[in-house]
Amino acid sequence: MPAQTLFIETCTPPKEARGVLLAELRRDVTQRVGAPDSSDFAILLDDPTSGDLIGGLWAISRWGGFLIDILIVPETLRRQGLGSRLIRAAEAEARRRGCDHMWLETYNFQSRPFYERFGFEVFGQLDGPAPIYPMFFMKKDLK
């Protein structure tokens, strides 16, 4: 009789756990539909005096879509055009990669109007308690 699979709940998973899960997911996807064409993209903002990472953009392209997963500009550097430069550079990269669309998630208290200025539109909404929700799913068609 095979051993029973352990079911471990934790709020502090080991650092390597995500990588193991991701590798298994990619193996399963590859078996079903072929290797995913996933490719990361990042633009990092470094502090000019310390060289420390202080913000930037993290995205991934996959199957014709370009997901902006993280975009953060420190409060002290906002309203200087850095966020706009990040979005424009991400869109240029998405187009170079031949993506059909870009998408992202943002909460009510975050940056929906900012993204709308760059042509993103809400395509879905998840409601919940204010002031955090609703959460908006936004996309921009590139074709």
Side-chain angles (χ1 to χ4, degrees):
M1 174 181 230
Q4 187 170 353
T5 301
L6 295 177
F7 191 89
I8 302 167
E9 291 185 38
T10 180
C11 293
T12 56
K15 291 180 182 182
E16 66 276 3
R18 187 175 192 285
V20 170
L21 296 178
L22 187 56
E24 180 57 25
L25 178 62
R26 286 181 175 158
R27 185 203 60 73
D28 182 65
V29 167
T30 299
Q31 181 180 348
R32 292 170 185 259
V33 296
D37 62 348
S38 298
S39 183
D40 290 332
F41 176 72
I43 306 169
L44 307 176
L45 301 176
D46 287 343
D47 183 282
T49 55
S50 69
D52 292 338
L53 179 62
I54 57 171
L57 178 143
W58 193 277
I60 185 170
S61 61
R62 182 184 305 120
W63 294 318
F66 193 89
L67 167 64
I68 297 176
D69 191 34
I70 300 171
L71 191 157
I72 183 67
V73 174
E75 185 71 38
T76 58
L77 297 176
R78 292 182 186 163
R79 310 241 187 285
Q80 298 177 31
L82 289 174
S84 297
R85 287 178 58 195
L86 290 170
I87 288 288
R88 286 187 190 108
E91 181 174 340
E93 183 63 21
R95 290 181 184 281
R96 272 192 292 280
R97 293 179 183 207
C99 293
D100 296 321
H101 62 275
M102 299 172 68
W103 69 284
L104 55 87
E105 305 164 1
T106 191
Y107 287 92
N108 189 52
F109 69 93
Q110 290 178 317
S111 303
R112 177 181 169 180
F114 170 78
Y115 296 119
E116 288 174 332
R117 287 198 313 263
F118 294 93
F120 283 84
E121 299 176 331
V122 173
F123 71 89
Q125 179 175 319
L126 183 62
D127 292 323
I132 295 170
Y133 286 88
M135 177 182 190
F136 302 104
F137 299 89
M138 303 183 77
K139 72 171 184 150
K140 178 176 183 175
D141 291 325
L142 300 178
K143 301 276 178 166

